[in-house]
Amino acid sequence: MEIKAAQVDYIYRNESRKVFATLVRLLGDFDLAEEAMHDAFAVAVEHWADHGVPNNPVAWLVSTARFKAVDTIRRRRRFNDLQGEIAGRVAEIEAANDSLAEQDIKDDRLRLIFTCCHPAIDPKVQVPLTLREVCGMTTEEIAHAFLIPPTTMAQRIVRGKTKIRDARVPYSIPSLTELPDRLAPVLSVIYLIFNEGYSASSGQSLTRTELSDEAIRLARLLLDLSPHPEVAGLLALMLLHESRRKARSTADGDLILLEDQDRSLWDQTLIAEGKDLVERSLRTRRIGKYTIQAAISAVHADAKQPAQTDWRQIVAFYDVLLRIEPSPVVELNRAVAVAMCEGAESGLSIVDQILASGELQSYYLAHSARGEFLRRLNRHGESLAAFEQALSLANQEPEQRFLRNKIDSIRSLEQQEHNR
Amino acid sequence: MMKYMLLVYGDENCWNEDERKECMLESMTIADELTRQGKLIAAEPLHSVTTATSIRVRSGQTQMTDGPFAETTEQLGGYYVIDVDHLDEAIEIASRLPPAKLGTIEIRPLFPKPDAAG
């Protein structure tokens, strides 16, 4: 009996989101699906103890949950005639009873991702909704990870669920012609989830790591179901970033720049998988922004020492990236790579052009890069001014510490020169 | 099936007479097609907001103002009520309406009436 309960527990942890996704499609209602799923698991605990775990527990649970949902709808209907419209679906649900295909269950999670990331839903709502409904994280966990009060987070999730239900956002995988447009918000949500877990060093580090793991899990699921080159590119990009997690900050949470990282700490298994995906994606010749960024990351991963980095290759990838998605941030990153090939003077002139065009003036990294180029050119006074401007624009505690250290070291350089 | 109202907003003064006629003809073609498919419940263009009258009843008193509910840069210029499967179909239809290129189409699901259901 106890062993059976443990088995139900195990199935709950690993399969409940599949059951839920299928129920959402069949019932067209998040709350009804959630309730029916829990009812089905409650039945499973007793039933499986007497009869053993069925061969296909997911199908059994979906089936049982559907009957439970039909009961719930009938009960609600008696109390409230407004629910009549939902009751009209009872027949549909019963008709679907026999046609539960394995492939459909697999696709249901993908349908749910596309629903939660539908462009008709506010991007602020897409991220928590995906974490809640597709990944099964609790509202409290999501609120905690994003440093937002749980009530605010709960409101956003309810808003998303209400929109999906009342505006009838469909549960469907977009057709091939729509796919590129519809894939973009899905990939961006997954990357946002990853970055929230990767870049910010504030907040609870444990929950943050979970966010990155969830993003990688979602990308794997998406790749399994839709082998679009950009899905492979995004997964590769995240794996390559993730491979450096141990090397990118000190025990105190201070940032360590790529060039100063202990490269023996990089996770070679993740790097190998990431590089394999990048190569596969590049071969399709339908190259998108995630694949290119992953390719750049892979060039860094190839260098055993910073000095061995193939900066010409990186500049070439940035040129492609600028053609696909022109942006001043990409231009800035390209400037850093150009400076590594041709010297700080070239990098400085690109950054000055960007700033002169009115872009990135309040972006701390632009001023920080400028300060670094000036430092390398031994123009210490101007370098100090640039780093101080960067410091006034940086928001995160570790970034500010990093910039203060830079400023201190340039000041002491200046002092030494003065004394000489 | 699901009913949606498509509210057509745009700057009334950004069309010249030829464009307005062109837009009207194109819209009527789309409306005819939707009627044949059984997806159109109603569709009408509206007169300019300069003809609008707004009414409020407060403490039994009817207050009347000459003009629209709110002064905005884009005004309600017409509407469609359609009956389709889901939001994606409504989005597809709304995207084809000529005013979508100059103004905004707001898609609103209709609230099901209690006695009309089940």
Side-chain angles (χ1 to χ4, degrees), chain A residues 92-125:
Chain A
E92 281 174 47
I93 295 166
E94 283 170 340
N97 251 344
D98 306 317
S99 60
L100 191 68
E102 197 60 33
Q103 187 58 39
D104 276 343
I105 294 183
K106 221 175 148 196
D107 289 351
D108 281 332
R109 287 195 79 190
L110 191 59
R111 285 193 183 93
L112 198 54
I113 297 176
F114 279 106
T115 305
C116 292
C117 301
H118 195 283
I121 294 168
D122 184 346
K124 273 210 301 292
V125 176

Short mmCIF file of all heavy atoms in Angstrom, two decimals, chain A residues 92-125:
data_model
loop_
_atom_site.label_atom_id
_atom_site.label_comp_id
_atom_site.label_asym_id
_atom_site.label_seq_id
_atom_site.Cartn_x
_atom_site.Cartn_y
_atom_site.Cartn_z
N GLU A 92 -18.92 16.13 -26.05
CA GLU A 92 -17.64 16.13 -26.75
C GLU A 92 -16.59 15.36 -25.95
O GLU A 92 -15.82 14.58 -26.49
CB GLU A 92 -17.11 17.56 -26.91
CG GLU A 92 -17.73 18.36 -28.03
CD GLU A 92 -17.23 19.81 -27.99
OE1 GLU A 92 -16.00 20.00 -27.85
OE2 GLU A 92 -18.07 20.72 -28.06
N ILE A 93 -16.58 15.64 -24.63
CA ILE A 93 -15.60 15.00 -23.77
C ILE A 93 -15.79 13.49 -23.81
O ILE A 93 -14.84 12.72 -23.94
CB ILE A 93 -15.73 15.51 -22.32
CG1 ILE A 93 -15.37 17.00 -22.26
CG2 ILE A 93 -14.86 14.71 -21.38
CD1 ILE A 93 -15.78 17.66 -20.96
N GLU A 94 -17.07 13.07 -23.70
CA GLU A 94 -17.34 11.63 -23.68
C GLU A 94 -16.97 11.00 -25.01
O GLU A 94 -16.46 9.90 -25.07
CB GLU A 94 -18.82 11.39 -23.33
CG GLU A 94 -19.04 11.57 -21.83
CD GLU A 94 -20.52 11.58 -21.44
OE1 GLU A 94 -21.35 11.82 -22.33
OE2 GLU A 94 -20.79 11.37 -20.25
N ALA A 95 -17.22 11.73 -26.10
CA ALA A 95 -16.89 11.21 -27.42
C ALA A 95 -15.39 11.04 -27.59
O ALA A 95 -14.93 10.13 -28.27
CB ALA A 95 -17.44 12.14 -28.51
N ALA A 96 -14.64 11.92 -26.93
CA ALA A 96 -13.18 11.86 -27.07
C ALA A 96 -12.58 10.73 -26.26
O ALA A 96 -11.39 10.43 -26.37
CB ALA A 96 -12.57 13.19 -26.65
N ASN A 97 -13.41 10.09 -25.42
CA ASN A 97 -12.92 9.07 -24.49
C ASN A 97 -12.09 7.96 -25.14
O ASN A 97 -11.11 7.52 -24.57
CB ASN A 97 -14.10 8.42 -23.77
CG ASN A 97 -14.14 8.84 -22.33
OD1 ASN A 97 -13.16 9.36 -21.82
ND2 ASN A 97 -15.26 8.63 -21.69
N ASP A 98 -12.53 7.53 -26.32
CA ASP A 98 -11.87 6.37 -26.91
C ASP A 98 -10.70 6.74 -27.81
O ASP A 98 -9.93 5.89 -28.20
CB ASP A 98 -12.89 5.56 -27.73
CG ASP A 98 -14.09 5.21 -26.88
OD1 ASP A 98 -13.86 4.82 -25.71
OD2 ASP A 98 -15.21 5.33 -27.37
N SER A 99 -10.60 8.03 -28.16
CA SER A 99 -9.63 8.39 -29.18
C SER A 99 -8.40 9.06 -28.59
O SER A 99 -7.89 10.02 -29.13
CB SER A 99 -10.28 9.31 -30.20
OG SER A 99 -10.73 10.48 -29.54
N LEU A 100 -7.94 8.57 -27.47
CA LEU A 100 -6.81 9.21 -26.80
C LEU A 100 -5.50 8.62 -27.31
O LEU A 100 -5.07 7.56 -26.89
CB LEU A 100 -6.93 9.01 -25.29
CG LEU A 100 -5.98 9.83 -24.45
CD1 LEU A 100 -6.31 11.30 -24.54
CD2 LEU A 100 -6.06 9.37 -23.01
N ALA A 101 -4.89 9.30 -28.27
CA ALA A 101 -3.67 8.78 -28.88
C ALA A 101 -2.44 9.25 -28.11
O ALA A 101 -2.42 10.34 -27.56
CB ALA A 101 -3.58 9.22 -30.33
N GLU A 102 -1.42 8.42 -28.11
CA GLU A 102 -0.17 8.74 -27.40
C GLU A 102 0.44 10.04 -27.93
O GLU A 102 0.87 10.90 -27.18
CB GLU A 102 0.80 7.58 -27.60
CG GLU A 102 1.97 7.55 -26.63
CD GLU A 102 1.51 7.44 -25.17
OE1 GLU A 102 0.47 6.79 -24.90
OE2 GLU A 102 2.19 8.00 -24.33
N GLN A 103 0.44 10.19 -29.27
CA GLN A 103 1.03 11.38 -29.89
C GLN A 103 0.30 12.65 -29.45
O GLN A 103 0.92 13.68 -29.21
CB GLN A 103 0.99 11.24 -31.42
CG GLN A 103 1.73 12.35 -32.15
CD GLN A 103 3.22 12.45 -31.74
OE1 GLN A 103 3.88 11.46 -31.53
NE2 GLN A 103 3.70 13.68 -31.59
N ASP A 104 -1.04 12.54 -29.32
CA ASP A 104 -1.82 13.70 -28.90
C ASP A 104 -1.40 14.17 -27.52
O ASP A 104 -1.26 15.36 -27.28
CB ASP A 104 -3.31 13.36 -28.88
CG ASP A 104 -3.93 13.51 -30.27
OD1 ASP A 104 -3.27 14.16 -31.10
OD2 ASP A 104 -5.02 12.99 -30.49
N ILE A 105 -1.21 13.21 -26.60
CA ILE A 105 -0.81 13.57 -25.23
C ILE A 105 0.52 14.29 -25.26
O ILE A 105 0.73 15.29 -24.60
CB ILE A 105 -0.74 12.31 -24.34
CG1 ILE A 105 -2.13 11.72 -24.16
CG2 ILE A 105 -0.11 12.64 -22.99
CD1 ILE A 105 -2.21 10.53 -23.26
N LYS A 106 1.44 13.78 -26.10
CA LYS A 106 2.75 14.38 -26.22
C LYS A 106 2.63 15.81 -26.75
O LYS A 106 3.26 16.72 -26.25
CB LYS A 106 3.59 13.53 -27.20
CG LYS A 106 5.02 13.35 -26.74
CD LYS A 106 5.73 12.40 -27.69
CE LYS A 106 7.19 12.78 -27.78
NZ LYS A 106 7.85 12.18 -28.92
N ASP A 107 1.79 15.99 -27.77
CA ASP A 107 1.62 17.30 -28.38
C ASP A 107 0.90 18.29 -27.48
O ASP A 107 0.99 19.49 -27.69
CB ASP A 107 0.84 17.17 -29.69
CG ASP A 107 1.67 16.52 -30.78
OD1 ASP A 107 2.88 16.34 -30.54
OD2 ASP A 107 1.12 16.18 -31.83
N ASP A 108 0.13 17.77 -26.51
CA ASP A 108 -0.67 18.68 -25.70
C ASP A 108 0.17 19.68 -24.91
O ASP A 108 -0.23 20.81 -24.72
CB ASP A 108 -1.57 17.89 -24.75
CG ASP A 108 -2.80 17.37 -25.48
OD1 ASP A 108 -3.20 18.03 -26.46
OD2 ASP A 108 -3.34 16.33 -25.09
N ARG A 109 1.35 19.26 -24.46
CA ARG A 109 2.18 20.22 -23.71
C ARG A 109 2.66 21.32 -24.64
O ARG A 109 2.77 22.47 -24.25
CB ARG A 109 3.39 19.52 -23.08
CG ARG A 109 2.99 18.67 -21.89
CD ARG A 109 4.19 18.30 -21.06
NE ARG A 109 4.62 19.38 -20.20
CZ ARG A 109 5.78 19.36 -19.52
NH1 ARG A 109 6.58 18.34 -19.64
NH2 ARG A 109 6.10 20.35 -18.75
N LEU A 110 2.95 20.94 -25.89
CA LEU A 110 3.38 21.93 -26.86
C LEU A 110 2.24 22.90 -27.17
O LEU A 110 2.43 24.11 -27.25
CB LEU A 110 3.82 21.22 -28.14
CG LEU A 110 4.54 22.10 -29.17
CD1 LEU A 110 5.79 22.71 -28.57
CD2 LEU A 110 4.90 21.29 -30.39
N ARG A 111 1.01 22.35 -27.32
CA ARG A 111 -0.17 23.20 -27.54
C ARG A 111 -0.28 24.22 -26.41
O ARG A 111 -0.54 25.39 -26.64
CB ARG A 111 -1.45 22.36 -27.56
CG ARG A 111 -1.63 21.57 -28.81
CD ARG A 111 -3.05 21.01 -28.91
NE ARG A 111 -3.13 20.19 -30.10
CZ ARG A 111 -2.93 18.88 -30.10
NH1 ARG A 111 -2.70 18.24 -28.97
NH2 ARG A 111 -2.97 18.20 -31.23
N LEU A 112 -0.06 23.72 -25.19
CA LEU A 112 -0.22 24.59 -24.02
C LEU A 112 0.85 25.69 -24.00
O LEU A 112 0.56 26.82 -23.61
CB LEU A 112 -0.16 23.73 -22.76
CG LEU A 112 -0.70 24.36 -21.48
CD1 LEU A 112 -2.12 24.85 -21.65
CD2 LEU A 112 -0.64 23.36 -20.33
N ILE A 113 2.06 25.37 -24.43
CA ILE A 113 3.11 26.41 -24.49
C ILE A 113 2.68 27.49 -25.47
O ILE A 113 2.76 28.68 -25.19
CB ILE A 113 4.48 25.82 -24.94
CG1 ILE A 113 4.98 24.81 -23.93
CG2 ILE A 113 5.51 26.93 -25.11
CD1 ILE A 113 6.28 24.11 -24.36
N PHE A 114 2.19 27.07 -26.65
CA PHE A 114 1.77 28.06 -27.64
C PHE A 114 0.59 28.88 -27.14
O PHE A 114 0.46 30.05 -27.48
CB PHE A 114 1.45 27.38 -28.99
CG PHE A 114 2.68 27.10 -29.80
CD1 PHE A 114 3.17 25.81 -29.93
CD2 PHE A 114 3.35 28.13 -30.42
CE1 PHE A 114 4.31 25.55 -30.67
CE2 PHE A 114 4.50 27.88 -31.17
CZ PHE A 114 4.98 26.59 -31.29
N THR A 115 -0.28 28.26 -26.35
CA THR A 115 -1.42 29.00 -25.80
C THR A 115 -0.95 30.04 -24.79
O THR A 115 -1.34 31.20 -24.85
CB THR A 115 -2.41 28.03 -25.13
OG1 THR A 115 -2.77 27.04 -26.07
CG2 THR A 115 -3.66 28.76 -24.67
N CYS A 116 -0.08 29.62 -23.87
CA CYS A 116 0.39 30.53 -22.82
C CYS A 116 1.25 31.66 -23.40
O CYS A 116 1.34 32.73 -22.82
CB CYS A 116 1.19 29.78 -21.76
SG CYS A 116 0.18 28.65 -20.80
N CYS A 117 1.91 31.40 -24.53
CA CYS A 117 2.76 32.42 -25.15
C CYS A 117 2.08 33.02 -26.37
O CYS A 117 2.73 33.51 -27.28
CB CYS A 117 4.10 31.82 -25.55
SG CYS A 117 5.00 31.11 -24.20
N HIS A 118 0.75 32.94 -26.43
CA HIS A 118 0.02 33.51 -27.57
C HIS A 118 0.25 35.02 -27.61
O HIS A 118 0.23 35.68 -26.59
CB HIS A 118 -1.47 33.21 -27.41
CG HIS A 118 -2.26 33.42 -28.66
ND1 HIS A 118 -2.61 34.68 -29.09
CD2 HIS A 118 -2.75 32.56 -29.59
CE1 HIS A 118 -3.29 34.57 -30.23
NE2 HIS A 118 -3.39 33.29 -30.56
N PRO A 119 0.49 35.56 -28.83
CA PRO A 119 0.76 37.01 -28.91
C PRO A 119 -0.38 37.89 -28.40
O PRO A 119 -0.16 39.06 -28.11
CB PRO A 119 1.00 37.26 -30.41
CG PRO A 119 0.82 35.96 -31.10
CD PRO A 119 0.63 34.88 -30.12
N ALA A 120 -1.59 37.33 -28.25
CA ALA A 120 -2.70 38.12 -27.72
C ALA A 120 -2.60 38.26 -26.20
O ALA A 120 -3.42 38.94 -25.59
CB ALA A 120 -4.03 37.48 -28.10
N ILE A 121 -1.63 37.60 -25.58
CA ILE A 121 -1.47 37.69 -24.13
C ILE A 121 -0.27 38.59 -23.81
O ILE A 121 0.79 38.46 -24.42
CB ILE A 121 -1.30 36.28 -23.52
CG1 ILE A 121 -2.62 35.52 -23.71
CG2 ILE A 121 -0.94 36.35 -22.05
CD1 ILE A 121 -2.52 34.08 -23.44
N ASP A 122 -0.47 39.49 -22.87
CA ASP A 122 0.55 40.43 -22.42
C ASP A 122 1.87 39.68 -22.12
O ASP A 122 1.86 38.70 -21.38
CB ASP A 122 0.02 41.09 -21.14
CG ASP A 122 0.96 42.18 -20.61
OD1 ASP A 122 2.12 42.24 -21.06
OD2 ASP A 122 0.50 42.95 -19.76
N PRO A 123 2.99 40.14 -22.71
CA PRO A 123 4.27 39.47 -22.45
C PRO A 123 4.58 39.33 -20.94
O PRO A 123 5.19 38.35 -20.54
CB PRO A 123 5.29 40.39 -23.12
CG PRO A 123 4.54 41.10 -24.19
CD PRO A 123 3.12 41.24 -23.69
N LYS A 124 4.15 40.29 -20.14
CA LYS A 124 4.38 40.21 -18.69
C LYS A 124 3.64 39.01 -18.09
O LYS A 124 4.02 38.50 -17.06
CB LYS A 124 3.85 41.48 -18.00
CG LYS A 124 4.86 42.60 -17.94
CD LYS A 124 4.64 43.47 -16.70
CE LYS A 124 3.27 44.11 -16.60
NZ LYS A 124 3.03 45.15 -17.62
N VAL A 125 2.54 38.61 -18.76
CA VAL A 125 1.72 37.51 -18.26
C VAL A 125 2.21 36.18 -18.84
O VAL A 125 2.11 35.14 -18.19
CB VAL A 125 0.23 37.76 -18.60
CG1 VAL A 125 -0.63 36.58 -18.20
CG2 VAL A 125 -0.26 39.04 -17.93
#
